[in-house]
Amino acid sequence: RKEVEQDPGPFNVPEGATVAFNCTYSNSASQSFFWYRQDCRKEPKLLMSVYSSGNEDGRFTAQLNRASQYISLLIRDSKLSDSATYLCAVNSYNNAGNMLTFGGGTRLMVKP
Amino acid sequence: DTAVSQTPKYLVTQMGNDKSIKCEQNLGHDTMYWYKQDSKKFLKIMFSYNNKELIINETVPNRFSPKSPDKAHLNLHINSLELGDSAVYFCASSLQGQGNEKLFFGSGTQLSVL
């Protein structure tokens, strides 16, 4: 099992739709969780951190379920500009130090 | 005033050649990283350096040799390039290398080995 897994998609949704992605992680000792956004041929950029109590930033809501070891990202009222790949990232600490492990990304395509 | 800059943006070369990718950050961060993103889009850490010292080396072949002359620079030299080295290589930095920090990525170097 991969350390961090995501459904690669693509998720094709119409503008205005609500869409949700999940990301599962295998290391129960993981401490920090993030969602990054990567546009085609660009670098990943932090979208939001994921806090234990869940957090919201405008149309975006991130949640953490420690018991089932997954994080989720909900996008409400999808815009064309939301089309991108969404990467989850999970931090864990091992002998090598702090490591941020990324999922393979979920591709979102918002259609007019 | 790019925060993390890496050069070149594109690198096309023949198998067996040696090439280098340079990375610089002007954010004053202590920790820098190299990540590799393959054709399936998996982004995997290769190395991390904290204040010029190697912290993480994730089972990368020793043909890859990072060099950090100071904490603002982390270059990647690759010897005897192989077809499987073709990928996008991203440099990144974070403030102290703590797990809860935001990573700032460079714009990537697309390496094509022919």
Side-chain angles (χ1 to χ4, degrees):
Chain A
R1 182 183 172 187
K2 290 194 178 71
E3 279 191 62
V4 182
E5 288 197 82
Q6 296 181 251
D7 182 339
F11 283 54
N12 295 299
V13 302
E15 270 187 290
T18 295
V19 62
F21 316 130
N22 282 344
C23 165
T24 59
Y25 62 93
S26 61
N27 187 346
S28 59
S30 298
Q31 293 297 318
S32 305
F33 308 88
F34 309 89
W35 283 103
Y36 279 76
R37 171 192 168 132
Q38 186 173 25
D39 292 295
C40 190
R41 302 187 185 280
K42 299 282 189 181
E43 71 274 21
K45 293 184 179 178
L46 182 68
L47 178 67
M48 55 198 304
S49 301
V50 186
Y51 302 126
S52 296
S53 54
N55 47 299
E56 191 173 304
D57 183 1
R59 299 181 292 108
F60 298 84
T61 300
Q63 291 197 310
L64 166 64
N65 185 316
R66 281 195 187 275
S68 300
Q69 295 184 201
Y70 73 87
I71 62 173
S72 62
L73 178 68
L74 181 81
I75 306 175
R76 286 181 299 277
D77 188 24
S78 299
K79 311 289 184 195
L80 294 177
S81 57
D82 293 334
S83 298
T85 297
Y86 292 84
L87 303 167
C88 65
V90 176
N91 175 267
S92 55
Y93 189 84
N94 59 26
N95 290 337
N98 272 305
M99 279 186 50
L100 197 62
T101 302
F102 285 84
T106 296
R107 191 168 167 215
L108 171 66
M109 297 177 68
V110 182
K111 308 283 189 182
Chain B
D1 60 344
T2 306
V4 182
S5 58
Q6 56 181 106
T7 56
K9 189 166 178 62
Y10 300 99
L11 190 50
V12 181
T13 188
Q14 301 284 335
M15 277 175 56
N17 283 352
D18 304 338
K19 291 292 179 186
S20 293
I21 308 172
K22 296 186 176 182
C23 180
E24 175 182 3
Q25 54 95 3
N26 63 5
L27 298 166
H29 287 170
D30 283 345
T31 304
M32 296 185 71
Y33 311 80
W34 278 108
Y35 279 84
K36 177 180 178 180
Q37 188 170 42
D38 60 25
S39 57
K40 295 183 178 177
K41 306 301 181 188
F42 284 98
L43 192 62
K44 291 185 179 177
I45 190 167
M46 300 174 70
F47 303 101
S48 79
Y49 270 71
N50 183 274
N51 211 358
K52 303 192 297 178
E53 287 192 26
L54 178 66
I55 303 297
I56 292 174
N57 178 341
E58 273 298 290
T59 59
V60 177
N62 57 16
R63 298 183 295 105
F64 291 79
S65 50
K67 285 189 171 47
S68 183
D70 55 62
K71 74 174 193 178
H73 294 84
L74 181 61
N75 303 322
L76 184 64
H77 188 76
I78 315 170
N79 288 329
S80 303
L81 278 155
E82 300 177 357
L83 292 176
D85 297 333
S86 296
V88 181
Y89 291 83
F90 287 101
C91 177
S93 73
S94 68
L95 187 60
Q96 292 180 325
Q98 301 302 314
N100 57 355
E101 294 172 348
K102 176 180 176 179
L103 286 185
F104 292 79
F105 284 89
S107 58
T109 295
Q110 179 148 6
L111 171 64
S112 299
V113 182
L114 307 177

